[in-house]
Amino acid sequence: MSVLLFFVLSDLLLALASGWFAYLMRFGDLNLPDSYLMLIIIFSLLVVVSFGVFCPNIYWNRYPWIERIKKLAMAFLVAFSGLLLILVAFKISYEYSRIWLSIWMLTHATLIVLFYSMVSVAVKRYWAREENARSVLIIGKGAGFKKTIDRFLKPNSEGYIIKDTIYFEMPEDALSQLQSRINEGQQFDAYWIFLPLSCSDAVKDIVHILRHETGDIQYMPGLRDLPLINHQVNIIGDIYSFDITRSPLDGFNSILKRAEDILIASLILILISPLCLLIALAVKWSSPGPILFKQYRYGKGKEKIKVYKFRSMKVHQEEAGSVTQAIKDDPRITRVGAYLRCTSLDELPQFINVLQGRMSIVGPRPHAIAHNEHYKELVDSYMKRHKIKPGITGLAQVNGYRGETDTLEKMQKRVEFDIKYLEQWSLWLDVKIVFKTIFKGFVSDKAY
């Protein structure tokens, strides 16, 4: 997040500084009129959005230089076109000096080329340090496989370093070795499958073994029918890879998502604070015990996070390693708790989890760890839900899959919607889910 924030602030400052500098060069004065200052601010915001969309900031160095130039040019032209559109639409172009506009755009174009050139050099040096590189397990065979090992076995400017290799000579032996790595608890940031198209069946077996891993799975160079999440062709150095599973919230999207979470969670917490106080008093009155129920669940990347809820059950002891789902007329649930659960009011403290950065407003609902361990073997792609932060509400919940999952089919449908959310994520989709939750997602006769 700090790296992305750096790029956002840099793009903003370059646009502001170039406009100010151009005014100084044209008029010899640093005291900008309000109309000029407003136009500079508008263009600066256009630049932040345009460069965030077209320039892959964190992965900048992994693109050929000609691609970087194209992306810079596209980002600049989109922002500049937006500026011209505003000037023409509001018929205010006559208010501004054309010489100033020309100096401004020329200065800004020069600054962004210099800035991103320096970024390229800095990023190369950053990724070349072994402690910054992403760890890779590579499995495959052939000349390309060996060439890739030679290139990425040592620290390099691409930011990947091969930490383990499995040579795919005998399929059964290779798959057994991979399964052993997983059973031993070895984790990698990326898994590279370097096999020809004729081995597509073996690739499916490899992906199946890796179904519980949250590291990126990248297939080089082709594939057939496989479970895909945000699949795309990527370039690492001069090697083409097909990303089989990838989070939709990399790069600039993660900034948009986090900004959405902070804005909505802060607003809601302010509005519901009196209600939360009343609920806290009711929970304390209903039965002895703490007001908040805290439980560890899996977050992004299978990281254990502590999730908050208003306590809705009497204090009781579960068997080690097990979590019993609430059922209809469950004797453990208090009268206050029953109302809180059916209206989802017990989940209001999770907005605090959102501000902490553990959860998101919209995303796959976090399940108890014991449920994860049970269902991950029964439902395909179950653990792919953890490629992003869990949410207070989600696509599955607004489509009726909320509450008790007492059958395997219900859990399969819930995971199906969670994967669909990963594939189709957009801010607009989040907005639709939030509104659907407000109007039909809180009260449910399936929540016990």
Side-chain angles (χ1 to χ4, degrees):
M1 180 64 72
S2 58
V3 175
L4 294 173
L5 182 60
F6 165 75
F7 278 102
V8 169
L9 292 177
S10 298
D11 291 335
L12 184 65
L13 290 174
L14 287 175
L16 291 170
S18 59
W20 223 302
F21 174 78
Y23 192 85
L24 175 63
M25 294 296 293
R26 175 66 180 89
F27 300 105
D29 188 4
L30 279 176
N31 295 317
L32 276 75
D34 290 343
S35 58
Y36 276 75
L37 180 59
M38 182 58 66
L39 194 66
I40 291 174
I41 292 174
I42 291 172
F43 178 71
S44 300
L45 295 176
L46 290 172
V47 164
V48 168
V49 174
S50 179
F51 277 69
V53 171
F54 290 100
C55 294
N57 295 329
I58 347 187
Y59 306 110
W60 184 245
N61 240 47
R62 297 176 188 167
Y63 287 79
W65 69 269
I66 190 65
E67 287 295 321
R68 299 179 215 170
I69 296 298
K70 287 180 181 178
K71 289 178 181 294
L72 282 177
M74 180 60 71
F76 177 79
L77 288 175
V78 168
F80 181 55
S81 299
L83 180 67
L84 290 181
L85 183 63
I86 290 173
L87 290 174
V88 172
F90 290 93
K91 299 179 181 180
I92 55 175
S93 59
Y94 68 90
E95 297 181 14
Y96 302 96
S97 164
R98 284 162 176 72
I99 296 177
W100 170 71
L101 282 170
S102 300
I103 297 174
W104 182 16
M105 294 301 106
L106 181 61
T107 302
H108 183 252
T110 303
L111 286 178
I112 60 174
V113 170
L114 290 175
F115 171 73
Y116 277 90
S117 297
M118 289 188 293
V119 165
S120 295
V121 174
V123 168
K124 279 186 177 181
R125 293 181 178 178
Y126 176 84
W127 287 126
R129 299 177 63 179
E130 185 171 355
E131 62 268 24
N132 298 328
R134 304 184 72 197
S135 61
V136 176
L137 181 148
I138 182 171
I139 178 170
K141 63 180 180 179
F145 172 72
K146 295 177 181 177
K147 178 183 176 182
T148 303
I149 292 176
D150 291 339
R151 176 164 183 172
F152 292 98
L153 198 57
K154 296 179 180 179
N156 55 82
S157 61
E158 306 300 336
Y160 288 95
I161 184 168
I162 294 175
K163 291 292 188 178
D164 200 355
T165 60
I166 298 177
Y167 186 65
F168 200 90
E169 185 173 12
M170 298 293 292
E172 296 82 3
D173 181 55
L175 294 174
S176 176
Q177 290 184 52
L178 180 60
Q179 187 65 64
S180 296
R181 306 294 203 281
I182 302 302
N183 293 342
E184 292 167 3
Q186 296 186 33
Q187 293 188 353
F188 300 87
D189 296 313
Y191 300 87
W192 292 356
I193 306 171
F194 215 108
L195 293 172
L197 287 171
S198 59
C199 294
S200 59
D201 287 340
V203 173
K204 286 190 283 187
D205 291 335
I206 293 171
V207 172
H208 179 73
I209 292 175
L210 296 174
R211 65 192 182 280
H212 302 325
E213 305 306 305
T214 56
D216 292 336
I217 304 174
Q218 294 165 300
Y219 183 19
M220 309 172 185
L223 76 167
R224 291 183 183 176
D225 296 328
L226 294 170
L228 306 176
I229 300 176
N230 295 304
H231 57 286
Q232 62 182 4
V233 175
N234 198 6
I235 302 173
I236 302 173
D238 58 354
I239 299 171
Y240 284 85
S241 74
F242 196 103
D243 297 347
I244 293 176
T245 65
R246 195 174 192 91
S247 169
L249 297 175
D250 287 336
F252 190 70
N253 285 345
S254 65
I255 285 184
L256 295 178
K257 181 72 165 174
R258 184 62 181 145
E260 168 199 326
D261 287 340
I262 293 174
L263 180 63
I264 296 177
S266 299
L267 179 61
I268 290 177
L269 279 172
I270 292 172
L271 294 175
I272 67 173
S273 55
L275 176 60
C276 287
L277 179 59
L278 292 175
I279 293 174
L281 293 173
V283 170
K284 196 65 179 176
W285 168 81
S286 65
S287 67
I291 293 173
L292 293 181
F293 170 69
K294 303 174 185 178
Q295 186 181 53
Y296 281 103
R297 302 194 173 188
Y298 281 143
K300 180 180 178 182
K302 294 195 296 185
E303 177 188 1
K304 286 186 179 181
I305 61 172
K306 189 179 289 186
V307 175
Y308 303 145
K309 284 188 176 185
F310 283 120
R311 182 174 57 83
S312 58
M313 290 185 174
K314 300 170 185 176
V315 176
H316 62 281
Q317 188 68 38
E318 293 272 9
E319 292 184 17
S322 68
V323 176
T324 306
Q325 288 195 55
I327 60 175
K328 191 171 184 179
D329 300 322
D330 195 314
R332 299 171 299 168
I333 300 176
T334 65
R335 286 200 300 175
V336 171
Y339 177 75
L340 294 179
R341 294 172 76 94
C342 75
T343 57
S344 296
L345 292 174
D346 62 322
E347 296 174 358
L348 292 183
Q350 289 171 24
F351 287 104
I352 298 174
N353 290 139
V354 173
L355 291 182
Q356 291 172 330
R358 299 175 186 173
M359 293 181 63
S360 187
I361 297 293
V362 181
R365 284 293 299 156
H367 298 158
I369 292 176
H371 293 161
N372 275 20
E373 297 303 317
H374 174 70
Y375 284 110
K376 73 179 185 181
E377 299 294 346
L378 303 176
V379 181
D380 289 341
S381 299
Y382 180 91
M383 295 302 287
K384 300 306 178 188
R385 306 168 70 251
H386 299 292
K387 290 192 73 65
I388 62 174
K389 293 177 184 177
I392 295 177
T393 186
L395 189 61
Q397 284 63 48
V398 297
N399 279 280
Y401 292 94
R402 175 178 175 267
E404 183 187 13
T405 49
D406 53 349
T407 66
L408 180 60
E409 183 183 1
K410 287 182 180 179
M411 182 59 80
Q412 287 173 331
K413 292 299 293 184
R414 179 180 288 188
V415 172
E416 184 180 312
F417 276 107
D418 289 339
I419 299 302
K420 184 178 180 180
Y421 175 75
L422 288 174
E423 294 172 340
Q424 300 180 358
W425 178 85
S426 67
L427 283 181
W428 177 238
L429 178 59
D430 278 0
V431 170
K432 290 195 291 185
I433 291 172
V434 168
F435 273 98
K436 285 184 178 180
T437 301
I438 292 172
F439 291 109
K440 72 174 187 178
F442 282 118
V443 179
S444 173
D445 57 2
K446 299 178 182 179
Y448 309 130

